[in-house]
Amino acid sequence: MNFRRNIVENWGAEGEQWLADLPKLIDDMAGEWGLEIDEPQAMTFHWVATVKGGGVLKLGVPDGHLGAEAEALRIFDGRGAVRLRAEDAARGALLIEQAFPGTPVAELDDDAAATAVLVDAAELLHRVPPINCSLPHLRTLRGAFERYDRDGPIPRRMVERAAELFDDLCADAPRETVLHGDLHHGNVLRAERAPWLAIDPSPLIGDPGFDCGAMLYNPDPERHDPALLALVPARIEQLSRLEPVDRVVAWGFVMGVLSELWTVEASGQARSRAIEVAALLEPRLR
């Protein structure tokens, strides 16, 4: 099951202990917040279930990352994203508005229409960080380039080029905004309060072009399908609403490499389409 694999790969022994304690945590949060668990949802890095009467209970390893998600949802305040209803930071628990019917953008048959929805979502979410915002800056991600073993499965030249571009793109960002951080086809859902609402932010502060990256190697990043790869050039043209094409290409390359670095770091394997997108874009870099 990818959920268990992801937890153990990313949190090791702490993740294994969290999985062992998860049934009790579910019961505790349901009791304290007066929730009746309805139906578990698809899971990647968090345990997620809808609750009767509306709402979503989200539980994750309490290392602070869900605190950043909660802060971002408070900043978004329902504009373009689901609303936060309750938080227990110490136990890694959030109660969130349910996007109903919750159909993801990935299920749209028209890729151009799907990309347009994602661009609309980005334009709603990208806003000036409020005073006293504690979200981390995009530059904090740079360590993944530095930690990479030159004998690993990703060509060293790609890692070095991506690191240089990452620095350049951060340094000459035309503006800095709150970033969703993982804006893709599975994280924008059809809703009633608004046509579409974003979920699951991994928020940062920085160049809004960063959010273009995940839109190029999703959905299903572990699915190696030439037809999906062939959609990338047209998506880039649509994403030029957010940033000039050359910056979209550069961020697409950087994020393709960075995403694969995270995969290698967690699992020891290069297994996603992200690096294929990076290879496709490498000849277009300036």
Side-chain angles (χ1 to χ4, degrees):
M1 183 178 180
N2 283 351
F3 169 61
R4 289 185 169 274
R5 182 196 73 187
N6 291 342
I7 296 297
V8 174
E9 285 183 352
N10 283 273
W11 284 279
E14 183 182 4
E16 291 180 342
Q17 185 61 55
W18 181 81
L19 287 167
D21 296 340
L22 182 57
K24 182 178 184 302
L25 178 62
I26 294 168
D27 288 343
D28 288 348
M29 298 314 305
E32 291 180 30
W33 283 346
L35 307 175
E36 185 177 350
I37 305 300
D38 187 7
E39 184 177 352
Q41 302 296 295
M43 304 174 196
T44 52
F45 294 94
H46 305 95
W47 185 89
V48 181
T50 55
V51 300
K52 292 191 183 299
V56 174
L57 177 62
K58 182 173 184 176
L59 305 174
V61 178
D63 64 353
H65 72 283
L66 282 179
E69 176 174 342
E71 181 176 3
L73 293 179
R74 284 191 287 267
I75 292 170
F76 298 147
D77 193 27
R79 185 169 177 264
V82 292
R83 289 191 170 104
L84 178 69
R85 294 183 174 173
E87 176 190 12
D88 186 322
R91 286 184 283 185
L94 303 179
L95 182 62
I96 301 167
E97 173 189 11
Q98 181 181 3
F100 186 83
T103 309
V105 170
E107 294 192 17
L108 290 177
D109 292 331
D110 184 339
D111 193 71
T115 304
V117 170
L118 294 175
V119 172
D120 288 343
E123 290 183 327
L124 284 173
L125 299 175
H126 292 163
R127 61 193 66 186
V128 176
I131 296 172
N132 299 324
C133 178
S134 66
L135 296 176
H137 194 276
L138 180 54
R139 291 189 186 91
T140 59
L141 302 183
R142 198 190 192 286
F145 298 112
E146 299 167 356
R147 293 189 299 269
Y148 184 66
D149 183 345
R150 68 175 57 246
D151 295 325
I154 305 174
R156 186 66 190 178
R157 75 166 196 288
M158 295 181 74
V159 177
E160 291 175 349
R161 185 74 186 278
E164 292 172 2
L165 276 174
F166 178 85
D167 291 341
D168 292 343
L169 290 165
C170 288
D172 62 7
R175 62 191 178 112
E176 292 196 338
T177 69
V178 176
L179 305 174
H180 180 282
D182 195 23
L183 194 60
H184 61 71
H185 304 66
N187 280 345
V188 179
L189 309 182
R190 195 177 290 280
E192 292 179 328
R193 181 171 60 79
W196 299 91
L197 292 173
I199 63 169
D200 293 347
S202 299
L204 299 157
I205 300 297
D207 181 358
F210 172 88
D211 269 342
C212 295
M215 302 181 202
L216 296 178
Y217 54 78
N218 278 281
D220 302 323
E222 293 191 19
R223 179 179 160 200
H224 298 276
D225 184 343
L228 290 175
L229 201 61
L231 297 171
V232 170
R235 289 183 184 178
I236 287 172
E237 293 302 317
Q238 286 185 263
L239 291 171
S240 66
R241 272 175 51 193
L242 299 175
E243 292 227 335
V245 166
D246 62 326
R247 291 186 69 86
V248 175
V249 169
W251 273 120
F253 174 78
V254 168
M255 282 306 300
V257 174
L258 185 57
S259 177
E260 200 72 354
L261 284 173
W262 291 331
T263 300
V264 170
E265 200 165 41
S267 68
Q269 304 172 46
R271 64 184 181 216
S272 87
R273 199 168 67 254
I275 197 64
E276 296 172 359
V277 170
L280 177 71
L281 297 181
E282 190 174 16
R284 295 182 60 177
L285 296 174
R286 293 185 177 180

